[in-house]
Amino acid sequence: MRYSISQVATISGVSARTLRHYDEIGLLAPQEVSANGYRWYGRSQLRVLQRILLLRDLDVSLPQIKAILAGEDDEAAALRRHLRLVTAERDRLDAIAGTIRRTLDDLEGRRSLPDGEFFRGLQERRAQLAATLRKRFGTAVDTALPAHDPWPSSWTRDDYHEAESEARDLYSQLSRARRADLDPTSSAALDIVAAHYEAVRATWPASPEAYHALADLIESDPAQRVVVGGDDPDLPAWLAAGVRAYAVRRLGHRP
């Protein structure tokens, strides 16, 4: 069965204008274009559109989606990867919702929230990142992970907010460089990426090899994409390119 562009727009909730744009940028071509210029889509195009929309829901940029789809030959494997991304994002949002509920209980007087409890969400995110690193790079990564908690138990909420503010400022600086069309592999960009490297080293003594590998997580791990690209969805890909270049040119890593 084939579907007109208006029918696809109706069943998918995507405008015909967006579908035409996807065709123009080589992201989703119709099955055929009739002599009068009408676009027609088949079932396989609907499945591709579903994957595009799943990735857009995860704030993946169109250029990244195009690269992902170009490298996918096994449709079932691609959907399994999407399922893992969606499941990880659901778990991350559940954890954030739990932290918000506990904080609201504290603010509204239903339950006092000790400072140690306030940091639980942060500790859970660090544990999740460590688990992801081990899954990607094996138990050898344990030697690179800090043996102690880099956030001292004496920290107050103000200390945490200050660190969080510094991280936001760093990503804002990186985002401004990206929006200015600065090549992420240029010397000027690597001078900015150096601040990211130092921030990573403050809590994780990453080797040049590990820092280079971190670029993959920045691009593909849902939690890392949200941290890096919360205000700029195109920043993860830009920063990942900069991280790889920094590891090679400034740290001497040889892929």
Side-chain angles (χ1 to χ4, degrees):
M1 182 173 182
R2 66 178 191 170
Y3 302 86
S4 69
I5 192 170
S6 60
Q7 289 174 316
V8 174
T10 299
I11 63 179
S12 68
V14 175
S15 70
R17 180 179 178 182
T18 296
L19 291 170
R20 285 192 290 269
H21 176 62
Y22 287 172
D23 183 15
E24 290 166 0
I25 65 175
L27 186 60
L28 176 63
Q31 185 179 65
E32 63 177 288
V33 179
S34 62
N36 58 10
Y38 285 180
R39 291 173 169 85
W40 296 94
Y41 297 80
R43 185 173 178 82
S44 62
Q45 284 74 43
L46 295 183
R47 287 198 295 263
V48 173
L49 178 59
Q50 180 199 47
R51 281 146 58 189
I52 292 171
L53 298 180
L54 284 170
L55 290 168
R56 289 300 289 153
D57 282 344
L58 293 171
D59 290 329
V60 181
S61 68
L62 292 181
Q64 287 177 282
I65 293 175
K66 186 175 180 179
I68 291 170
L69 294 180
E72 290 180 347
D73 296 323
D74 186 331
E75 188 170 341
L79 287 175
R80 281 193 289 270
R81 283 195 293 273
H82 294 334
L83 178 60
R84 288 196 295 271
L85 287 172
V86 171
T87 302
E89 181 68 0
R90 178 203 63 195
D91 293 344
R92 185 189 70 83
L93 291 174
D94 285 346
I96 291 174
T99 298
I100 292 173
R101 283 193 292 268
R102 291 192 296 271
T103 303
L104 281 173
D105 286 344
D106 177 64
L107 290 172
E108 296 173 353
R110 288 185 293 274
R111 174 178 176 266
S112 178
L113 187 67
D115 280 353
E117 181 78 2
F118 178 76
F119 293 105
R120 192 166 84 180
L122 178 63
Q123 293 162 352
E124 289 171 351
R125 287 196 297 274
R126 289 203 301 274
Q128 183 184 48
L129 175 57
T132 302
L133 288 168
R134 291 187 186 98
K135 183 176 180 180
R136 289 289 187 93
F137 310 118
T139 56
V141 77
D142 289 333
T143 61
L145 293 171
H148 63 284
D149 191 337
W151 279 268
S153 58
S154 59
W155 268 29
T156 66
R157 298 187 189 192
D158 288 341
D159 293 327
Y160 168 72
H161 285 311
E162 181 179 354
E164 194 175 46
S165 177
E166 290 174 355
R168 284 198 302 269
D169 289 344
L170 171 59
Y171 289 125
S172 293
Q173 183 183 10
L174 292 165
S175 181
R176 287 194 296 272
R178 187 203 65 76
R179 294 177 191 276
D181 292 327
L182 189 63
D183 183 343
T185 66
S186 67
S187 179
L190 296 187
D191 289 342
I192 303 173
V193 174
H196 177 265
Y197 173 67
E198 293 303 325
V200 170
R201 291 276 298 176
T203 59
W204 177 39
S207 66
E209 179 183 9
Y211 188 63
H212 185 274
L214 183 62
D216 290 338
L217 292 184
I218 292 172
E219 280 188 308
S220 62
D221 182 68
Q224 288 300 302
R225 273 211 316 273
V226 169
V227 169
V228 175
D231 296 322
D232 181 358
D234 292 325
L235 182 57
W238 187 93
L239 178 57
V243 165
R244 292 187 184 99
Y246 188 90
V248 171
R249 298 182 187 178
R250 300 286 177 89
L251 303 178
H253 173 61
R254 296 183 178 181

